[in-house]
Amino acid sequence: MEDKEIKCGGCPEPCTNQCGDCTKFFCACPPTSRVVYSIWANQQAYWSGWIILGGSLIAASLNLRAIPPTAYGLYTRYLLIPFSLLVILIEYPRGKKRTGNIETRLFQEYIAPIPYFFRFLTRNLFLRSMFYMIFSIPCFFILSTNIGGMTLLISAMFYFIGGIYSENWVPPMLAYGPGSKKQKREIVIVNDPLLMAPPQEELPTLPVINSEELIETKS
Amino acid sequence: MWLFDRFVLFRAFSLRGFLNDLPRYIFVTLWMLTNIGLFIGFFVQFETFPRYFYFRMISRQGLSFARAPAAVINFNSMLILLPVCRNLISIIRGTCFRCSRSLRKALDKNISYHKLFAWTIIFCSVIHTAAHYYNYEFIITDAASPQRFEQVPSNPLRNNPLIYLRLLENRSLVLPLDAVLLNYMTYAGITGHIMWLILFLMATSSVEVIRKSFFEIFWYTHHLFIFYFIALGIHQFQMILPFQSNVDVSDPFNCSRLPVDTTGEGCEILPTFTAARPSSYKWFVIPLAIYLVERLIRFIKSLIPVQIVHVEEHPSRTLEIRMKRRFFRQDVGQYVFVNIPSISFLEWHPFTLTSCPEDNPEFSVHIRIVGDWTEALLKKVRQKGSNVRSTIITIDGPFGTASEDVFDYEIAMLVGAGIGVTPFASILKSIYHKRKNMNLKKLSQIYFFWVCPQPQSFEWFATLLKTIEKSLQDEGCPDLIKYEIYLTRGWTAAEARNIYLHEDDIEDPITRLGAKTNYGRPKWDEIFATIAENHSKKKVGVFFCGPPILSKELHFQANKHSTNNCSFSYNKENF
């Protein structure tokens, strides 16, 4: 409790925020937002992966050999295919939300162990954002992957914003691998007479309100 | 699992349901045929017409594959704004009061049409863009290797195929040697990429995860549509796509095969070119104008003052607001859009009306506090206290087809699941009032099923049920509305034990209602069988509002238990 009232170094106000961390050298009350930007960024990056894959397949089908300035494109177009597949693979499993449920993609629990395996490399959104920023550079060498590069930059931007709001990729349910928990429900047979006694706490009953007027119209 | 769902859908087919949705099927079929027709028409035109002959030499099939989806995009861009003009739809529904109910119900599916058009635009954009990427690359490749055209003697592209692009004609531009540079020299390239980014932001923010959880992101991103239309308008204005203007004097099929100096074959005159004129704006300018008028109507409507009669904060974090406005006529099961300028000037939020026609001119909404906007509203209500009536509030609506079908059946079976119970507040109230006024037509028995995870969040609804139960008991017909409540989850082990111990009480331990709460999911098979047994030679109307999975199940059961003895007809309410 005392920690909360201590002013952090250089901080104008005491950290009242729950996640206020005074141990760091600067006042770290991270900004909070109700919007989870990483969910949007995930959707964007996932689709960007497909757009880049399509673009690089178009580029790979072309005969670019004749033109000298596209020499960069000459080799990167083949490299972009596995890179875009990597983006799709990493982005396919949706992370858990802090509160509430999130819709999972079909069979994502079978792919989720792969990003889980890379630990902080995939969980830190700043790292992800940096990776996409670097990865989007070769996309601008070829015309057909330009749009994919732009959309990937947008998603990198939203991942960065998500990182500022201290979001990270929380591993969802895994089908196999080290992170998967196989929960076994224990069946407890209760035959203790003490346990069978009526419980002390009240049930969360609905409050009774006098609301006759709810139904009667006012004349 | 989805295979099973398909199977259920197949089994659930019924003629009545098919006829109910017939206008919708006809409309979608017509729309699909128009799309296919436009695609094939434009494709054949650009593949075979002589005036595109020389361009085809550069772009191969790229021209046809770019222009055919472009026509489909234009057509769908024309349609896409119309389903979101809710006042326009209301006017159509109002003027077509005599036409059949199924036609009016087809109008309620407006958002599905909007989605359909949007996905078509995105799908065709993919084909269009891919084809144009090939076009740009072909032009650059041909510029680097002009020997390809030397076999074509009288070809105007013989010296430099890039001269063919009107962009470079009569201009001292340096020929780019890279497709990326060439792309960003054209209006079409720049605006095309802008449109792609806009479509990308709009589509990624409209997936269900984001639309349901963070409505404001979806709402604000969708307003980028205006830039989409501006970009679509100027997409063609550089007029770089040329076609031959003198095919009648210089037939390209013949002349391209002959040497340049040939005489006597009608090929003395060299081909001349004009540009294809911009045409996209002709498609969307009228719907865009209609949409702007729609926004103007919304603005004018927002100037009609709304008087707040009463605001009540229910314990389950729900606000009840009762209001009054001139020119407001409500029916059962309709919804309104609410905007409070002091919270957010742009955001309009839809809420189901919980009042019934007998409440006119007053109407009410119940607002659950779940998001930013509703949180801000609660804060405002608490701050202002009794002064809350001075808040400026604007209403757009009411919208939606009235669900008055309930009164056309002898037996009505109402199923509300989760948040889907809200429209039934209006319907149950209306039933109560109609019974009081002896105006209930032939409706003699109502079964109401309330399936929910936690009744605590709908305490106001339980209160309403209790009030109706009590007044019906006082008036001596407690059996008119029979209701069952199903609690699907949300009880702890201790609570379960407590519930078990309260089994013999008169009132239910949780809802304090006369009917006992059931724990777990309803066994629809048994329920339908019992109702069919109790009401022989009668028609039962099943009305449902809630999640689609349960809807399929109910639809299936309704058809399964329909016999000559007792027939169930299924209606999914569109709220």
Side-chain angles (χ1 to χ4, degrees), chain A residues 25-176:
Chain A
F25 67 93
F26 61 93
C27 175
C29 290
T32 51
S33 159
R34 199 187 66 83
V35 174
V36 186
Y37 286 97
S38 55
I39 296 174
W40 193 18
N42 164 272
Q43 193 69 24
Q44 289 172 344
Y46 176 61
W47 286 13
S48 303
W50 285 106
I51 294 170
I52 295 170
L53 181 67
S56 51
L57 286 176
I58 289 175
S61 72
L62 285 166
N63 176 19
L64 295 179
R65 234 161 267 264
I67 319 122
T70 39
Y72 300 115
L74 205 58
Y75 304 108
T76 45
R77 59 187 169 147
Y78 299 117
L79 263 179
L80 284 180
I81 297 173
F83 271 177
S84 55
L85 285 174
L86 182 70
V87 173
I88 293 167
L89 197 75
I90 293 173
E91 294 296 337
Y92 191 75
R94 277 203 188 109
K96 259 188 199 165
K97 226 161 72 168
R98 262 173 300 188
T99 52
N101 292 327
I102 188 121
E103 264 180 58
T104 54
R105 293 199 176 95
L106 197 65
F107 300 132
Q108 75 159 41
E109 61 269 29
Y110 297 96
I111 298 172
I114 301 164
Y116 179 86
F117 176 76
F118 290 100
R119 308 283 153 170
F120 73 96
L121 280 178
T122 46
R123 278 176 217 179
N124 191 313
L125 296 192
F126 287 119
L127 275 177
R128 223 181 246 223
S129 165
M130 289 310 240
F131 169 66
Y132 290 155
M133 275 181 211
I134 295 163
F135 174 50
S136 66
I137 294 167
C139 293
F140 291 103
F141 296 154
I142 316 165
L143 176 60
S144 50
T145 50
N146 263 9
I147 183 71
M150 286 178 210
T151 52
L152 198 65
L153 266 185
I154 292 176
S155 96
M157 188 181 85
F158 280 105
Y159 265 132
F160 195 85
I161 295 172
I164 290 171
Y165 286 117
S166 58
E167 294 164 18
N168 57 352
W169 188 78
V170 183
M173 202 183 80
L174 312 174
Y176 56 89

Side-chain angles (χ1 to χ4, degrees), chain B residues 295-353:
Chain B
R295 291 304 286 248
L296 192 71
I297 291 174
R298 275 185 217 175
F299 176 72
I300 293 168
K301 266 192 172 180
S302 71
L303 296 178
I304 305 175
V306 176
Q307 193 192 336
I308 297 177
V309 179
H310 182 70
V311 178
E312 193 175 331
E313 192 189 332
H314 291 289
S316 59
R317 287 177 69 72
T318 308
L319 272 180
E320 182 195 348
I321 305 180
R322 266 190 283 143
M323 294 164 277
K324 230 187 211 178
R325 201 193 76 180
R326 285 170 72 197
F327 315 116
F328 194 92
R329 226 193 111 261
Q330 60 186 330
D331 276 318
V332 278
Q334 287 190 312
Y335 62 94
V336 289
F337 280 84
V338 179
N339 169 250
I340 299 175
S342 53
I343 294 174
S344 166
F345 191 72
L346 277 175
E347 284 176 42
W348 289 84
H349 290 261
F351 293 102
T352 314
L353 285 175

Side-chain angles (χ1 to χ4, degrees), chain B residues 88-160:
Chain B
L88 175 83
I89 291 172
S90 241
I91 290 165
I92 295 172
R93 192 188 288 117
T95 52
C96 143
F97 203 74
R98 288 240 180 115
C99 40
S100 79
R101 190 187 147 71
S102 53
L103 196 65
R104 276 182 285 138
K105 274 202 122 177
L107 283 172
D108 283 347
K109 289 274 172 193
N110 55 347
I111 297 302
S112 356
Y113 301 139
H114 181 77
K115 284 182 197 164
L116 193 63
F117 304 150
W119 280 110
T120 316
I121 287 177
I122 289 174
F123 176 71
C124 288
S125 298
V126 172
I127 305 173
H128 179 85
T129 317
H132 271 318
Y133 281 153
Y134 276 111
N135 285 343
Y136 278 115
E137 298 282 2
F138 284 152
I139 286 167
I140 292 294
T141 320
D142 291 344
S145 53
Q147 61 273 12
R148 193 169 95 82
F149 298 97
E150 276 170 10
Q151 299 146 2
V152 191
S154 75
N155 193 324
L157 319 173
R158 190 174 180 186
N159 294 323
N160 185 355

Side-chain angles (χ1 to χ4, degrees), chain A residues 34-37 39-41 43-45 47-48 51 55 57-59 61-64 66-71 94 97 101-103 106 140-148 150-152 154-155 158 190 194-218, chain B residues 119 130 133-134 136-138 140-141 144 177-180 183-184 193 196-197 200-201 203-205 207-210 213-217 221 309-310 312 314-315 320 322 358-359 362 366 370-372 429 432-433 436 455-456 459-460 462-464 466-468 470 494-495 497-499 501-502 509-512:
Chain A
R34 199 187 66 83
V35 174
V36 186
Y37 286 97
I39 296 174
W40 193 18
Q43 193 69 24
Q44 289 172 344
W47 286 13
S48 303
I51 294 170
L57 286 176
I58 289 175
S61 72
L62 285 166
N63 176 19
L64 295 179
I67 319 122
T70 39
R94 277 203 188 109
K97 226 161 72 168
N101 292 327
I102 188 121
E103 264 180 58
L106 197 65
F140 291 103
F141 296 154
I142 316 165
L143 176 60
S144 50
T145 50
N146 263 9
I147 183 71
M150 286 178 210
T151 52
L152 198 65
I154 292 176
S155 96
F158 280 105
V190 184
L194 267 175
L195 272 175
M196 295 298 282
Q200 295 299 312
E201 69 266 30
E202 279 285 302
L203 268 176
T205 49
L206 298 170
V208 181
I209 321 156
N210 185 23
S211 60
E212 294 286 313
E213 56 188 50
L214 233 171
I215 188 149
E216 294 295 336
T217 46
K218 279 186 182 171
Chain B
W119 280 110
Y133 281 153
Y134 276 111
Y136 278 115
E137 298 282 2
F138 284 152
I140 292 294
T141 320
L177 286 167
D178 191 291
V180 181
N183 172 63
Y184 290 117
H193 277 88
W196 250 111
L197 291 183
F200 177 78
L201 285 174
T204 48
S205 62
V207 288
E208 209 176 332
V209 185
I210 292 164
S213 315
F214 321 111
F215 185 77
E216 57 271 32
I217 281 193
T221 324
V309 179
H310 182 70
E312 193 175 331
H314 291 289
E320 182 195 348
R322 266 190 283 143
E358 285 79 5
D359 285 343
E362 271 184 30
H366 281 75
V370 281
D372 276 356
K429 264 189 192 177
Y432 170 79
H433 281 293
K436 217 173 176 184
Q456 282 85 2
E459 135 280 318
W460 62 270
T463 319
L464 173 79
K466 196 172 171 62
T467 327
I468 291 178
K470 197 163 161 273
E495 281 170 16
R497 218 141 45 82
N498 211 335
I499 290 159
L501 289 165
H502 282 285
I510 287 190
T511 55
R512 298 220 184 282

Side-chain angles (χ1 to χ4, degrees), chain B residues 210-229:
Chain B
I210 292 164
R211 202 179 62 236
K212 291 250 166 94
S213 315
F214 321 111
F215 185 77
E216 57 271 32
I217 281 193
F218 158 76
W219 180 257
Y220 286 121
T221 324
H222 246 63
H223 279 84
L224 287 170
F225 84 92
I226 196 78
F227 297 105
Y228 169 81
F229 280 108

